[in-house]
Amino acid sequence: MKVGLEALADLIPANVRAVLQTQSLRVGRPVLGRAFGHHAAARAGPGLDFRDHRGYAPGDDLRRLDWKAIARRDRLVLRQTDSEDDLTLALLVDGSGGMGYGEGEAQKFAVARALTAALAWIAVSQGDPVAFAVGGTPLPPALTLKPRRHREALDSLGQQLRNHRPDKTIAWAEILTATRLMLPPRSVVIVLSDFLDPVGSGRAEDDLALLGELTHLKKRRHDVVLVQILHRDELEFPWKEQRAFRFVDLLRRRPALEGSALGLREAYLERLHAHLTWWEESSMRHGILLERITSDVALPEALIHLMQRLTGHRRP
Amino acid sequence: MNLLAPLALLAIGGVALPVVAHLLGRQPPREIAFGALRFLPTASAVVSQRRALRDLPLLLVRAAILVAIALVFARPVARDDGALQVVAEVHDCLLLVDGSGSMGLRHGRSTMFEHAIERAGEVLDALPPGSRVGLITSDPRGPRLEPTAEPERIAQALRTWQRDGAPRLGAWSLADALPHAIALLPNPDARPRIVYAIGDRYAGGLGALPERVDDVAILAVPAHPSAPPEHVALMAATWEAAPDLDPSALRIRATVRRFVAAPAEEDTREVSVALTVDGEPITRASVVLPPNEDRTVEFTHVVQAAGVVPASVRLEGLDGDPWPGDNERPLWLSAAHGFEVLVVNGDPSELRAHDEVYFLTTAVSATEDAVLDGIRVRSMAPDQLEHVLRKDGRSALEHVDIMVLANVRAPAADISPTILDAVRDGMGLWITGGDRVAAQDYNAALDEVLPLRLRDALEVGTAPGRERALMEGLAPPDLAHPVFSGFADAGGLDGTRVRKVLLLEPDANRPHGVALSLTNGAPVLVTRDVGDGRVALLTTTIDRDWSDLPLRPGFVPLVAGTLRWLGGGAASRVQPRLWVGEPQVLGNDKTFVVDTPDGREVPARPGSDGVARFEDTMQPGHYRVHNGDAQQAYFVVEVNPTESDTSAPAEVRTGALPEGTGVMATPRWRIWIWLALGLLGLETVLRRRAVT
């Protein structure tokens, strides 16, 4: 294990850690990093992959002259290669109360925490800077949104993931605005949330506002990835008895609802699927990648699937 | 207000049950912390809150039901002067329920009988726990249950009895049924013994009951506390021949009475009375009825058909009469009355002219009187009469219309009651004097029917110092007397000389009439009405021994008139009249067939005593008897007019309770039963609305 990664070890299940050894963070398009890295950049620079030739100009490094090409063209040309830059990865984790649903490893926040740690582990291990925010109330410190690649950043991330308890709502607008300001262009922004009730208001306007903020990120040429983590109970609403149920809002925004689960189920599922469909269609329309994960699935496969989608090798 | 079973109030603690059931039934909801609350429809929550609010009245209603039920079982009673009073301590009792026809009188929305059943239910409810209760009714065919600790059996028996057609005509009076009730009420535990008599408040009902019989207290429970409604009854319908009008003419009299519990001054009502003969309406008359007084309507009808024809007198225009059962009375009418005359010859003689009844039978055969046309005369000696009566009893006189005791010593003491019964039932009795008559024996045997008590015979015209008796002449007859109905004058009795007569004891209190007397005032022919029958007493002989009356031209008319008058009571005996339920004796050693008013033919076979009786007389109307012979008999069954009498509500006594039997109480829990039932209905409505 590389230096600093041990800070996240306890947050990543063992089977996921085994997978991490074989995975690398790749994106299906050129990056535009600030430092040398392992990702093909959208500009010429030091690298291994041939890009093109250009004429020599005084001051150019003579070591880059392509003698075979000079022989063919009878003039001095330089061999250019694609630059390899680093890739800034921003991990925005929803730490609101809604993510606290589920028990043990099936808790949505636990899944988000494991994925965040794993992604950060991969990024740091390949030298990419990581910015992160574990959302909730109050707002996470802005310092964490500054991309960093050294050990202290991982320590801070690990500490926040470890100490955070899902509660209340999350101020997506502030977090996404800060993210937009702090990240270099062409970063990868991965948002881990359930996207069920972003700010706890239940209003469609707030869904649109969140989508607008994400679209702004996309316009800044960031890759925006939405990892929607849902619990199976939320997808299937398994309570079918006639008896009364009392649903308490994890977001602590609404009064508790009481009624027959059987009577509630049909309307719930109908509304939920409409909401999920809206997110799917909206994401596709704005070029945002949406990956839906059920909290009881095997995390290694979920992680591999996510990595493949990042590279563009797999469809949803 | 007291409680007979106060421990039952502990059941009020059960009020907590619906509260607990309510809370349990509400089922605390399973709580789930959920993040996707925005997708749950909020309407359900609102419904839930509203249901909680609506359940509150449901809870209150259920609690009220339990309180009402607990109060019912606690058996609250009121120690007041209410009409229904029940002994409060444990006792043995019997319900004596009036099931007579008059209980069919409609009083308010229900009949008196239905009120009585309701009152019986209240008594059963009010009995202290542990009491035993039995049941007897004034209906001989009604239920009879020995005391039991299960009042529900009594209630069931009453319901069954009511379903089987009670009340009905022909039942006993409560006074008649009381001894049966006492006999059914044993006293093994020395408990207080009570008879709760439930019936109407009239003299023939509760008013006839004593307050106590030995140690048994009689508690009167009026079926209805208030005065009965006004009603009109046809009390009687009789007829007799009217030969003064026409040989086939009949006088039909109907007695109508209007019963008013609280009459007002000048309160009259006009009622129509109709006569129907052989199914055809003949005539109709109106009569104005004052309260509680009899009014008689007389019809005259000439019977055209031979034989006996059914007729009826009916009150009309009495819609809404509370008891229509007494608005019609049946009659059998006949213009030809073949009188059966039984002559008991006290001084028979082989020489016909010396026979006691020679002149009588000769006169009968010589008469051209239309009424006496077809008269049949039988003669027997006194010992033969005694033998027959001792052997056959009352049935031996069943077809005898007139009995003549001619110079008979006196009926024996053991047969005289039979003769008295026959007279009261309509038989005519003619007693003629003679040397064999024993005055004291007559007085002892037939005192009840004699016009005047007999004394010794007296030679008329005798006086101190006179050596030879003189003959006494007859005074002019009293032509107003019915015996001489149709007579224009003395009719040939002038010059009659009487030598000897039986003296009579003057008695102003004894109702009688003198049809014929001597010139010295001594009565010769004295008459009296007894029940439906008539009695004539000839103080001289019917032969020539004491007078020359048989030799006079007026003798035959006198005999005819006397027999016709005596047979007047018997005339209607063409149709013996029975009250509903009374058996009719048909005859000996034969099987008869009785045609009933409803068209049935009912055989009546001789019983173990050889006498055929017909007992199925529960239906008023015309009955015809035949047995294959050409001769037929007829009788009618009528409602006993005492059933109709509601004019004199008796003062209902509360009964004399044994000492130490405690106070009496009026049950007050029936209202709680109704309240509980009402609340149950309300609870059902509320529950359905909550589920909806």
Side-chain angles (χ1 to χ4, degrees), chain B residues 57-90:
Chain B
L58 183 62
L59 177 66
L60 293 177
V61 167
R62 286 174 173 169
I65 290 172
L66 277 179
V67 171
I69 292 175
L71 280 172
V72 169
F73 281 100
R75 316 186 83 178
V77 293
R79 315 290 192 195
D80 56 19
D81 296 330
L84 176 57
Q85 296 179 314
V86 177
V87 174
E89 68 180 63
V90 177

Side-chain angles (χ1 to χ4, degrees), chain A residues 243-293:
Chain A
R243 62 169 296 179
F245 282 73
R246 188 167 185 267
F247 294 94
V248 180
D249 189 12
L250 285 171
L251 302 176
R252 295 203 279 176
R253 290 288 302 270
R254 293 184 181 81
L257 292 179
E258 188 175 326
S260 162
L262 187 60
L264 297 171
R265 186 170 185 271
E266 186 176 353
Y268 169 84
L269 291 176
E270 184 179 345
R271 295 180 181 195
L272 175 69
H273 288 298
H275 179 76
L276 297 180
T277 303
W278 181 84
W279 270 109
E280 290 170 4
E281 294 173 349
S282 300
S283 301
M284 187 176 297
R285 190 162 55 247
H286 292 94
I288 297 172
L289 189 149
L290 175 65
E291 175 71 5
R292 183 169 297 151
I293 295 174

Side-chain angles (χ1 to χ4, degrees), chain A residues 101 196 202 207 239 243-250 254 258 264 268 271 275, chain B residues 27-42 44-45 48:
Chain A
Y101 187 79
L196 293 179
D207 294 329
W239 306 286
R243 62 169 296 179
F245 282 73
R246 188 167 185 267
F247 294 94
V248 180
D249 189 12
L250 285 171
R254 293 184 181 81
E258 188 175 326
L264 297 171
Y268 169 84
R271 295 180 181 195
H275 179 76
Chain B
Q27 198 178 27
R30 178 181 168 188
E31 188 166 299
I32 295 176
F34 204 50
L37 230 59
R38 67 179 289 195
F39 305 115
L40 291 175
T42 55
S44 296
S48 171

Side-chain angles (χ1 to χ4, degrees), chain B residues 82-85 95 112-125 158 198-199 221-225 666 670:
Chain B
L84 176 57
Q85 296 179 314
L95 299 188
M112 291 294 287
F113 184 74
E114 289 166 341
H115 288 304
I117 296 297
E118 192 175 331
R119 304 296 272 175
E122 291 175 1
V123 172
L124 291 174
D125 289 344
L158 286 171
I198 305 171
V221 181
H224 197 286
T666 303
R670 195 163 285 254

Side-chain angles (χ1 to χ4, degrees), chain B residues 234 237 252 254 273-283 299 309-316 327-333 575 621-622 636:
Chain B
L234 182 59
I252 298 142
V273 186
L275 172 66
T276 302
V277 176
D278 206 10
E280 295 293 329
I282 300 300
T283 184
F299 301 103
V309 292
S312 65
V313 179
R314 188 173 65 251
L315 301 180
E316 294 186 336
N327 290 351
E328 183 172 2
R329 292 193 178 270
L331 299 164
W332 284 112
L333 301 180
Q575 42 134 29
H622 301 86
V636 295

Side-chain angles (χ1 to χ4, degrees), chain B residues 322-399:
Chain B
W323 190 41
D326 56 3
N327 290 351
E328 183 172 2
R329 292 193 178 270
L331 299 164
W332 284 112
L333 301 180
S334 174
H337 317 295
F339 285 150
E340 179 91 16
V341 179
L342 174 62
V343 178
V344 183
N345 190 346
D347 186 18
S349 173
E350 293 182 355
L351 293 176
R352 193 159 172 256
H354 291 178
D355 192 90
E356 183 74 23
V357 298
Y358 166 72
F359 294 99
L360 174 65
T361 54
T362 302
V364 169
S365 61
T367 184
E368 296 178 352
D369 190 295
V371 176
L372 300 182
D373 185 27
I375 194 168
R376 295 181 298 278
V377 178
R378 283 192 297 145
S379 181
M380 61 176 60
D383 55 343
Q384 288 177 303
L385 175 68
E386 293 175 1
H387 174 74
V388 169
L389 293 185
R390 283 170 185 150
K391 176 173 176 285
D392 297 334
R394 175 72 178 80
S395 62
L397 301 178
E398 194 63 36
H399 301 291

